[in-house]
Every structure is written in C-alpha cells, then in structure tokens.
C-alpha cells in the first residue's frame, strides 16, 4: 500500500494515539500500545464467516419467537410465555414505553444490525448513499443491544420462580440462549475498519502522519463513525458523511447534565414501587430495596446480592465514576491509566443494571395465574429504566480521549 494513503495508519478512537498497522495473522487482533483498546481484527474469509453468523443468528431468532421459552406450573395450573408475549403484556398493563424499549433492545436493534451487516458485506446492488446511511445507523445502534442481559434475567428469574411453582424450559429456550451467544460473538468479530472498507475506501491523507503521537498534536483526527483519518479543520467526513469535531461537542457539559438527571431520578426510582404482587385480589406493592430484602429473607442470598449490586450499587458507582472522570479531565495528574481503566469498567458493567427491569418484565408476563397470583409493573420501574438509560447515555457522551489529552499536551 502506498505511504500517502491512510490505510496503513489508524488513530485510536479511545486515546487518540496514531498507530501504524502491520499485517496481521488470521484470527489476530491489533491493540493500541497505549490504552490496549482493540484497533483491528483480521479474520480468514471474513465475508463467509459473517454471512454464516448473520444467517444462523436470524434463524435462531425466528426459532426463539415461534415457541414458548418457559412454562410454570402453579397449583396445577400451567402458564407459559413466548418471547413476543412480554411486550404484549406490558401494552395491556399500560406500559407501552417499557414494551417499546424491550422490543427495541432485545429484538429490533439486533435484527436491524444483523440485516445491515448482511446487506453491506455482500455484493448486493444498493446505492452508495443508502450504504453510507446504513453504515452510520449500524454503529449508532449496536451499542444498545441487550440480549445477553435479557438471558441473564431469564436465568435469575428461573431460580426465583421455583418458589412459586414447577418451572419447565420450553422449545424456544435453547435457541434463545444460542442466539444470544452467537450474536455476542458475531459483533465481537465485526471489524469496523474492514466493514467500512467494504462500503467505501478511505480518503487519502494530505500530510505525513507521525507514529506514536496524538492525532490532535499533528492536526489530525479520527472520524467517530468510520475511523477515517481526517484533518482537524475538516468537519464533514469525506467517507461516511457525518459531521463531527476533534472531540465530542460539549462532551463534559452533556455528560454532567445527563448524570445530574440520572441522580435526580435515582432516589424516587429506588423508593417508588417497581412492581405490584396481587394475591387473591389483594395488591402488595414493592420497591427495589423491598424486593432485595424479601429475596434475602426467603434465603435467595446470591440473587439478592446480585440485584443489590446491579440495581443499587452499580448505578450510583457509575454516576460517581463518570463524575470523577469529568472532574479529572481538567486536572493534570498521573491518574491517566487508572482513569482509562475506570472508563472501561463503567462501559462494560453499567448496562447490566437493566437486569432487574427485565426480571420484573418476565415475572409480570409469566405470573398471571387467575385470581391466585398476578404480578404487574409499577411506575417506579419506568423511572429505574430511565436511570440506567441516562447513565448509559452519559458514558457514551463522555469522550475518553479527554483523559489522554492531558498528557498529549504536556
Ligand atoms: Zn489507544
Ligand atoms: Zn467517517
């Protein structure tokens, strides 16, 4: 490849270091030498591999939807649910927003992402403008997929549901688990740089890049969507067409505003009831904390600790950690590597707080057994889901390159 083209170079999207890419063996990944984020992955026959993943995950998703995935036998009465019955139950209870969120993160976004990848990597005649739009949509959507959290919620629910009746796994349970595993692996294998090369080649570099220095210090930046290397002065990417700047615009201001909103919602979300258990027509509302105490007194110690960590501790720690990161970006200290580690942990763990929301959705869809027992969601659940979404948005708005800019400018 010629030296004046930027196909040999990449600017790390997490720390802004300009790195030269050498040829990789099949199945290997290249990581940033400074922040250790994965820069590129090289797969043998990537088209074939990704097509197999795309078709198998879609097939498994269809299988997951046509049969029930769980059945409960409560006092001789059987009740079973299909995946698509969860949002239907939410709509009937007047929680259309929860139903829409569930369909989006567990079904719609994964299906969209898989179909988009399939369309982009195969020689299908699609106008380039549509291809560019699909590429932009793909990398915006994929961070909102939550199928693995839903599977975690099913596993925890099964443990707790055994106290209500006999649980039987139904035909769609295993395709659903396999779908989750395959879609995680599929998106781990997708190399953003390779995929964008399938859509449109990288624009040529106008200056000679200096390896081992930040992009900012040499007047270059990485496109946040397609990773093309662009001059700092150029706002519109000549490849994917998105308009962006060297750093996310108002990154700290937006992050802090989202964190403050999350903090305001966090207190009522933990005090208000998240679900109502109706036994023989009598309703018993319970908040997240009351639910945890109930699990503990029923000797479900592991589940109660898990829900306590993900529902109470993680959102608070996430708000505190991102605030600490925002504060430290303005101070010159030696915490850079610790800050980046905190950022990576927050990014990985934060979304798992949604597990409690999914558990209640499963309970309220499955436990509808005549007058004996019925479980409904409560407005506190919407507020709690909002806290998790706000903290996720705060983390997405935080530009991790600001951590490294403090040493880049030294
Ligand atoms: Zn890096
Ligand atoms: Zn771009």
């Amino acid at each position: 490849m010629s030296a004046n083209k930027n196909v040999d170079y990449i600017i790390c999207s997490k720390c802004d270091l300009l790195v030269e890419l050498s040829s990789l063996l099949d199945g290997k990944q290249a990581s940033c030498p400074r922040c250790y984020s994965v820069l590129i992955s090289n797969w043998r026959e990537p088209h074939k591999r990704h097509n197999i993943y795309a078709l198998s995950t879609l097939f498994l998703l269809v299988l997951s939807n046509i049969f029930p995935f769980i059945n409960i036998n409560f006092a001789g009465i059987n009740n079973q649910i299909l995946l698509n019955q969860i949002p239907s139950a939410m709509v009937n209870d007047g929680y259309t927003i929860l139903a829409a969120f569930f369909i989006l993160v567990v079904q719609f976004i994964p299906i969209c992402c898989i179909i988009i990848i399939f369309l982009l990597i195969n020689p299908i005649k699609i106008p380039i403008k549509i291809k560019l739009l699909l590429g932009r949509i793909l990398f915006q959507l994929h961070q909102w997929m939550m199928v693995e959290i839903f599977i975690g919620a099913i596993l925890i629910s099964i443990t707790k549901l055994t106290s209500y009746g006999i649980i039987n796994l139904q035909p769609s349970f295993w395709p659903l688990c396999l779908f989750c595993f395959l879609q995680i692996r599929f998106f781990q294998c997708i190399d953003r740089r390779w995929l964008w090369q399938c859509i449109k080649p990288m624009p040529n570099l106008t200056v000679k890049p200096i390896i081992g220095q930040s992009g900012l210090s040499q007047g270059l930046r990485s496109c946040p969507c397609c990773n093309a290397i662009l001059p700092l002065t150029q706002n519109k990417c000549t490849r994917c067409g998105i308009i962006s700047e060297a750093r996310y615009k108002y990154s700290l201001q937006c992050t802090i505003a989202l964190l403050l909103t999350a903090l305001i919602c966090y207190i009522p979300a933990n005090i208000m009831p998240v679900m109502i258990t109706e036994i023989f027509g009598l309703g018993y509302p319970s908040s997240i904390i009351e639910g945890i105490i109930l699990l503990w007194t029923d000797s479900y110690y592991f589940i109660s600790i898990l829900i306590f960590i993900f529902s109470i501790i993680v959102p608070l720690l996430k708000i505190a950690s991102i605030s600490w990161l925002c504060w430290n970006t303005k101070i010159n200290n030696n915490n850079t590597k610790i800050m980046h580690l905190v950022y990576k942990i927050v990014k990985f763990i934060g979304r798992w707080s949604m597990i409690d929301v999914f558990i209640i959705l499963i309970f309220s869809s499955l436990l509808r057994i005549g007058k004996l027992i019925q479980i409904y969601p409560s407005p506190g659940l919407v507020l709690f889901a909002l806290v998790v979404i706000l903290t996720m948005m705060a983390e997405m708005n935080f530009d991790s390159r600001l951590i490294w800019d403090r040493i880049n400018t030294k």
Side-chain angles (χ1 to χ4, degrees):
M1 285 168 194
S2 84
N4 67 334
K5 289 186 176 177
N6 59 357
V7 283
D8 297 315
Y9 307 99
I10 192 166
I11 293 180
C12 174
S13 60
K14 298 288 182 290
C15 77
D16 201 38
L17 189 74
L18 198 141
V19 181
E20 185 179 16
L21 293 169
S22 51
S23 55
L24 279 178
L25 292 173
D26 288 341
K28 296 285 176 192
Q29 292 182 322
S31 301
C32 170
R34 185 161 71 167
C35 73
Y36 308 112
S37 304
V38 174
L39 297 173
I40 56 162
S41 314
N42 191 33
W43 301 104
R44 192 191 306 172
E45 300 183 85
H47 286 90
K48 197 173 161 186
R49 167 183 282 264
H50 297 329
N51 276 329
I52 292 170
Y53 270 125
L55 295 173
S56 352
T57 44
L58 281 178
F59 175 67
L60 287 167
L61 191 62
V62 172
L63 277 187
S64 312
N65 273 283
I66 51 179
F67 302 112
F69 69 95
I70 195 167
N71 168 289
I72 186 165
N73 185 300
F74 180 83
I77 304 167
N78 268 312
N79 197 20
Q80 57 189 23
I81 49 165
L82 278 92
L83 199 55
N84 54 36
Q85 280 176 329
I86 297 177
S88 314
M90 294 302 102
V91 173
N92 291 339
D93 291 341
Y95 289 93
T96 313
I97 193 157
L98 280 180
F101 177 74
F102 177 83
I103 294 173
L104 269 178
V105 299
V106 177
Q107 301 252 34
F108 184 75
I109 294 179
I111 293 173
C112 274
C113 291
I114 293 165
I115 293 174
I116 289 176
I117 294 170
F118 186 79
L119 292 175
L120 292 179
I121 64 172
N122 288 295
I124 300 167
K125 280 195 177 175
I126 302 171
I128 186 70
K129 276 190 175 178
I130 305 286
K131 278 193 169 187
L132 294 172
L133 178 68
L134 291 176
R136 292 199 294 265
I137 292 172
L138 173 69
F139 290 105
Q140 285 296 321
L141 284 185
H142 88 283
Q143 46 198 346
W144 288 99
M145 290 194 297
M146 293 189 183
V147 186
E148 70 278 22
I149 301 169
F150 178 63
I151 294 289
I154 293 177
L155 298 177
I156 292 179
S157 303
I158 288 172
T159 317
K160 175 69 183 97
L161 283 165
T162 50
S163 65
Y164 291 96
I166 301 161
I167 297 294
N168 294 304
L169 301 179
Q170 295 298 296
S172 274
F173 178 78
W174 295 111
L176 188 60
C177 291
L178 204 54
F179 163 71
C180 170
F181 172 76
L182 275 189
Q183 69 97 24
I184 292 173
R185 187 68 193 135
F186 184 23
F187 285 93
Q188 275 175 348
C189 293
I190 288 293
D191 181 56
R192 185 186 289 243
R193 189 180 170 87
W194 172 83
L195 193 79
W196 272 104
Q197 283 294 102
C198 295
I199 304 172
K200 194 177 174 184
M202 279 233 188
N204 285 348
L205 262 179
T206 48
V207 291
K208 175 132 182 72
I210 307 162
I211 298 150
Q213 280 193 16
S214 72
L216 201 65
S217 67
Q218 45 189 312
L220 296 171
R221 69 181 185 93
S222 172
C223 170
C225 181
C226 73
N227 287 0
I229 300 177
L230 306 167
L232 271 185
T233 46
Q234 186 182 316
N235 284 347
K236 187 172 181 181
C237 175
T238 43
R239 177 155 72 165
C240 70
I242 71 150
I243 294 168
S244 57
E245 294 185 6
R247 300 290 176 263
Y248 300 161
K249 205 173 181 183
Y250 306 120
S251 169
L252 292 181
Q253 291 91 329
C254 287
T255 309
I256 291 166
L258 288 162
L259 288 177
L260 280 175
T261 321
L263 194 62
I264 293 166
C265 297
Y266 177 81
I267 299 159
N270 277 286
I271 296 170
M272 284 169 68
V274 286
M275 69 175 195
I276 297 167
T277 310
E278 209 175 274
I279 302 170
F280 296 114
L282 288 173
Y284 302 93
S286 56
S287 64
I288 289 178
I289 296 169
E290 285 165 342
I292 292 167
I293 296 168
L294 196 68
L295 283 169
W296 185 267
T297 48
D298 285 349
S299 306
Y300 289 100
Y301 303 120
F302 180 69
I303 302 178
S304 69
I305 292 170
L306 216 61
I307 294 179
F308 177 72
I309 292 172
F310 282 121
S311 302
I312 308 286
I313 302 291
V314 168
L316 257 191
L317 268 183
K318 198 171 172 183
I319 293 169
S321 308
I322 305 174
S323 306
W324 178 75
L325 289 175
C326 290
W327 175 259
N328 270 272
T329 51
K330 295 288 172 201
I331 303 166
N332 260 334
N333 56 27
N334 296 322
N335 285 341
T336 309
K337 286 194 172 167
I338 298 169
M339 284 170 73
H340 194 79
L341 182 67
V342 169
Y343 168 76
K344 276 171 121 171
I345 295 171
V346 162
K347 202 172 172 62
F348 178 74
I349 293 179
R351 49 214 295 281
W352 280 88
S353 300
M354 203 54 90
I355 202 162
D356 206 21
V357 177
F358 288 152
I359 291 173
I360 294 171
L361 294 191
I362 295 167
F363 268 61
S364 50
S365 313
L366 193 60
L367 287 173
R368 297 278 166 110
I369 304 169
K371 291 266 177 206
L372 289 175
I373 187 163
Q374 305 235 358
I375 289 183
Y376 301 100
S378 212
L381 191 64
V382 180
L383 214 52
F384 182 77
L386 188 65
V387 172
V388 184
I389 293 169
L390 285 167
T391 54
M392 280 178 70
M393 286 170 70
E395 166 259 302
M396 287 170 195
N397 267 282
F398 178 76
D399 195 332
S400 65
R401 292 169 295 188
L402 296 173
I403 299 173
W404 298 90
D405 282 347
R406 304 165 325 137
I407 56 168
N408 289 340
T409 50
K410 267 183 184 176

